[in-house]
Amino acid sequence: MAVTLFQIAEVEPIAVELPLAHSIGMSGETISAARNLLVRIADSEGRTGWGEAASAPLMTGESLSDMLAAVQSVSGRLSGRSIHSINS
């Protein structure tokens, strides 16, 4: 039996900044909001999947704007591709 895999129709990055109920003190900085990136991927059949990543500039060096730029950079190359062709 042949398996039909989805084709990526849309990749949508969504930057969010959510205030924390209580600020967190870290070395040299007080964090008062969670700055995360949500990514919504829709396929050609209308199915949708979600992913999420938290920024941590002091620990990993990745800022929200860097993560947003990375997703925007690859999203155009993913649109229209099936899961079989992503690694090629």
Side-chain angles (χ1 to χ4, degrees):
M1 174 177 15
V3 176
T4 303
L5 296 175
F6 67 89
Q7 243 187 335
I8 298 171
E10 182 182 10
V11 178
E12 178 186 13
I14 305 163
V16 296
E17 184 172 328
L18 305 170
L20 299 176
H22 303 284
S23 295
I24 301 170
M26 296 185 76
S27 177
E29 183 179 17
T30 299
I31 299 172
S32 58
R35 292 170 184 87
N36 294 10
L37 183 67
L38 304 175
V39 179
R40 185 184 68 80
I41 298 179
D43 73 7
S44 55
E45 302 297 317
R47 295 171 291 217
T48 301
W50 290 88
E52 181 268 341
S55 66
L58 294 178
M59 292 190 297
T60 65
E62 293 178 322
S63 68
L64 184 56
S65 60
D66 292 338
M67 294 187 311
L68 183 61
V71 172
Q72 289 171 332
S73 173
V74 300
S75 65
R77 293 183 296 209
L78 293 176
S79 293
R81 297 190 69 182
S82 73
I83 194 147
H84 283 302
S85 63
I86 289 175
N87 287 328
S88 58

